[in-house]
Every structure is written in C-alpha cells, then in structure tokens.
Amino acid sequence: MNIYDNHHTRPYGVGLAYRYPVHDQALEHRDEIDLLEISTEDYIVRERRIHADPYEEKLTEALEVFPAVAHGLSLSIGTVAPLNEYYLHATKQFLEDNHLTVFSEHCAFHSVDGNDLTMFLPLPFEEASVQWIKQNYYAVRRELERPFALENVTYHFPIPRGSLSEAEFLKRLTEETDCTLLLDITNVFNNASNHCYDPIEFFETVPMDRVSQMHLAGGHKTDDGKWEDSHSRPVMEPVWPLFEEAVKRAVNCEIVILERDSRMDPFDSVLHDIRRAREIFYSIRPEKSGTGKPTDMEQGSGETFPDDPAFLELKGFQRCLMARITSAEYREFFQHNPIAACAEFGLANSEWIEKLKECDPAEMEKLANSWDYIQNDDAKIGEAYEKSEWEAWADQLAQEEAVSG
Ligand SMILES: [Fe+2]
Ligand SMILES: [Fe+2]
C-alpha cells in the first residue's frame, strides 16, 4: 500500500487548526470536526515542540482519529536567498513520518539576513517576485515531492508603485506554477478593508478554480482602525458573507480550516464558528467535487537563475526594507541619504529606491517597534527555554530509566 493512501490523502470538509491545549476538546467533538490542520512548526522547531507535545503522543492520537493536512510557517518563500535546507528536510520527514499528503505554506517573506521578523512583510507585487517565488516553489516541491498550496497573508501596507494588484499577483503565480491557493478569507477581508479594495473584485481576478483550501480566522481592529489577523477571537461578522461567496466560486475547494491560536476557552466559541462554517460549506458543497486537488496537477519544473539582475534588485530591496526595520542606525542613514543607504545593499535602481522611500512611514515605525519588542522578549524566552531544555532532558532520562527497569 502506498504510504500516502490513507485517511490523510484527501481530507474533505470543515476542520480546525490543531493546537495541543484543545486536544481533548477536539476529540470530544470529533463528529463536528472533519479534519485537522497540523502546524509543522510545532513538531520540527525544537523550542516549540518541547513546550507542546515532545513525544508526539497527542499528535499520534489525533492523527489516528482525524484526517489531517499540514501547514508550514517558516519557509519565507519570497525571500531572495537560499532556502533553509535543514528546515525543508525536517518538513519532508515530518510529512513522511505522519503519512500526511496535503501541505501549504505562506506566500510571503519575513526572514532576511538572519533576522526573522515573525510577521509577514508585504511582498512587492511585481513580476520579479512572481519569478522568484516560482523558483522557490519548485525547489520546495522537488524536496517535498508534491505540489502544495500557497496562502495569501494579511500585510501591513502595500509596497508602493506595484505593477500588479494582489489578485493579479496570485493569478500570475498560478499561471507560472502548478501551485494551488489556500485562500484565507479573513486575510482577504483584512487587506480589502485596510488597503481599500473590493473583495468581490479580488475574487473575480483570482483564479478561484485553483483554490484548494480556505482559512477562516478571527481578528480585531487596532487603535488606528486597521484589521489584524490575531487568531484570537471569533470570525468577524463581515467575513461570513465573503466566505459564502468564496465557497460558491471556488468549485474545487474541499478543505476549510478555522484558525484560533488563543482564547480557545470556552471551546464552545470555537465550535460555534466551525458549526457556522459547516452550515455554509455543506449547503453549497455537499460532496467532494475533486477536480482541483493538488495531486491531480501536472508535474512541473522550475529553472533556476538566481543571478538574474531582477532578483538581485529584489534582494537589495528586501535587505534595505528589513534593515530599516531592524536597525535604528540604518534607519537614520536611510532617512539622511536613501541613495547611499540603498547602495550599501547593491541597490541602484531608482524605481526600487522610490518604492522604499514611499513605504508607509507609520506602518514602518510600527514594524520597527514590534521588532524591538520581539528582541527584548526573545532574551526572556531564551532564558526560559534553556531552563525547560534541562527539565526536558531530566524528564527524558527518567523515562528511559523507568523503561530499562
Ligand atoms: Fe497560515
Ligand atoms: Fe490563515
């Protein structure tokens, strides 16, 4: 039997992004949850794994009960730099060990020059980004030995002077690769509200027949009136009619996942959103349609030209943008002399320099403040992690001793 020929091969219905603290509640309500989405980070990033389910006992139980799909977070597929081979290999191993077929990642970038913002940065909606992601998509596809879905993300501000709209950008990606789309409806709502575009027009441009999965998540409005995808509240009311519209249009979408990372107690508030999503989904799609599932897509290939001048410019742009967020010194330099500051990263193209100069200053400041905050927080987390590492070792040794008698 093929190792992928199991109940994870082709999950269908409305499910939950699995978080170990609600393991028992999820199992209790198995009749209302069709599938789980497993965050691969929780099992391949040691700091997270150790706090979650170090021996994967809960995961094993959950995967026996529920069909599941996998969702990655750290790939930063849009960054013009070599992919993290270790991370990719660990992802492949995780998928194989757990016999998971369906995988998705974010169409985004967040990690540059060793600095991981852990928040998605806005991708420049340009042909150069399409071509770069195409290369990385095929590199990942080759390693994982399967096509996968790319997810639209909430971004803080659009990069100025974009030659493509976000919807056109996603469309170009589906033209250039055999990826499917994981359409996060909350992110569509957030971006449409925050950046003033019509979500229905967005649906009209994006190739909805290439949508294989959808996400729903709750967010909140920040003090400056912008929506954030905090994954900490019920799905916002205006997202529901958009979801219904999207399910009608995305005829090949077979998977819907509710994402909630915190405030999962009472679990009934999570179930409430799942029930509502099921009602909508099953009224439109009572059974599998199936023509768009990733494994049906044609095998593709991507040629690699990392030294293409367009990629070097995109890389220079990304490095400048990140340095403006992570370094107060560079920020000042850029403000004083943007041309010289860009030259430091080999960027001389005036169009890219203008884009950098015109990035929303308030949003750039917010990102810089978040970075500073994360840095302080990281120091504390580092100490706590070291302590928990020792505790985990002690725990492991005790277990091994108990087994050996
Ligand atoms: Fe996601
Ligand atoms: Fe999402």
Side-chain angles (χ1 to χ4, degrees), residues 2 47 81 128 150 158 231-232 252 272 297 320-321 349-350 356 378:
N2 184 318
E47 294 93 319
L150 288 169
H231 296 189
S232 61
N252 295 314
H272 179 269
M297 306 297 277
C320 289
L321 186 74
N349 178 303
S350 59
L356 279 162
D378 269 1

Side-chain angles (χ1 to χ4, degrees), residues 37 71-73 105-106 120 151-153 182 184 187 215 231 259:
E37 180 192 82
H71 187 47
L73 182 65
E105 245 290 356
H106 300 88
F120 300 126
E151 179 182 6
N152 61 308
V153 302
L182 191 178
D184 187 313
N187 291 343
H215 273 175
H231 296 189
E259 299 179 287

